[in-house]
Amino acid sequence: MQRRTPPPPGRLGRPRSAAADAAILEATRDALVDLGWSKLTLGDVATRAGVAKTTLYRRWAGKNELVVDAVAVLFDELELPDNGSLAADIEGVVLQFAAILDRPETKTALMAVVAESTRDAPLRERIRTSIVDRQKRLVLEGRARAEHRGELPPEPDPRAAAATADLIFDVTAGAVVHRTLVSGEPVDAVWVRRFTGLLLGGLASAG
């Protein structure tokens, strides 16, 4: 009698499909633009993505988590350009950030989840880990590059370095989100240049 070879470790169950995930997240963003937050349902997203509703529930506990992840992948597109100076690098990434915020799907999704998070602590934590913490990499990359160029002095204290990175992120993200989504003013090259000058003035003073 032929013996059956057991499956290798880690291969049990149905593997998660990256293509299905991408389709679901794209369908979520499209549905938000078409329907708005209040009318969006996981059933509608499943139909648009061409997957079973159970597929969504295996991946996300509910609408809040799904929408956060749908927004997070947009911000993962951000890259810190190497434009030769810290000022030029900051200007480049801020313009990228503003362009992402200006998309209809980003505006709808981000404003909705932020509003919901004011009364939902787990959602607020998911926003922090899925969006905020992941994008702080840009600040750390920029700081390291500027130190290597000699534009900023090294910060030997790890706690102080982390606190500075948090502050830079908060100031930058807060200013751009407010101008784009609250004030409704353009984040153009002139505004970005002035903002960058203000930010670098603060960094020089702190150094």
Side-chain angles (χ1 to χ4, degrees):
M1 182 177 178
Q2 186 178 7
R3 295 182 61 186
R4 298 180 64 184
T5 304
R11 300 282 296 182
L12 297 176
R14 182 177 299 175
R16 182 161 175 167
S17 167
D21 283 0
I24 290 167
L25 297 177
E26 182 178 1
T28 302
R29 295 189 294 269
D30 291 344
L32 276 167
V33 175
D34 293 343
L35 303 175
W37 173 269
S38 61
K39 294 182 179 178
L40 176 70
T41 67
L42 266 63
D44 183 78
V45 171
T47 300
R48 289 170 181 254
V51 300
K53 192 174 177 180
T54 53
T55 301
L56 271 70
Y57 282 111
R58 282 198 298 267
R59 290 160 164 78
W60 294 276
K63 181 168 73 172
N64 292 352
E65 293 82 359
L66 175 59
V67 173
V68 170
D69 286 1
V71 177
V73 297
L74 296 179
F75 292 120
D76 285 342
E77 297 174 12
L78 286 168
E79 294 181 355
L80 184 69
D82 189 349
N83 290 330
S85 70
L86 179 58
D89 293 353
I90 292 172
E91 290 174 13
V93 77
V94 168
L95 286 170
Q96 288 179 51
F97 182 40
I100 291 173
L101 287 175
D102 200 42
R103 298 183 192 179
E105 62 270 31
T106 312
K107 290 179 180 178
T108 305
L110 190 60
M111 295 295 273
V113 294
V114 168
E116 288 293 313
S117 72
T118 61
R119 50 184 178 268
D120 187 335
L123 175 60
R124 191 160 56 248
E125 176 65 14
R126 191 177 185 96
I127 292 172
R128 186 183 69 79
T129 56
S130 298
I131 299 176
V132 176
D133 288 351
R134 282 194 343 217
Q135 299 315 318
K136 283 182 182 176
R137 63 185 170 81
L138 300 167
V139 177
L140 299 175
E141 289 173 20
R143 176 91 203 193
R145 188 184 293 168
E147 288 181 6
H148 180 73
R149 289 175 179 147
E151 295 175 289
L152 290 176
E155 205 160 14
D157 184 349
R159 285 190 175 184
T164 301
D166 286 347
L167 185 57
I168 293 169
F169 183 89
D170 290 345
V171 169
T172 304
V176 179
V177 168
H178 185 276
R179 185 166 179 85
T180 305
L181 300 184
V182 179
S183 299
E185 297 290 337
V187 176
D188 54 21
V190 173
W191 184 89
V192 171
R193 194 173 303 117
R194 293 180 63 197
F195 169 77
T196 301
L198 186 65
L199 180 65
L200 290 180
L203 282 173
S205 174

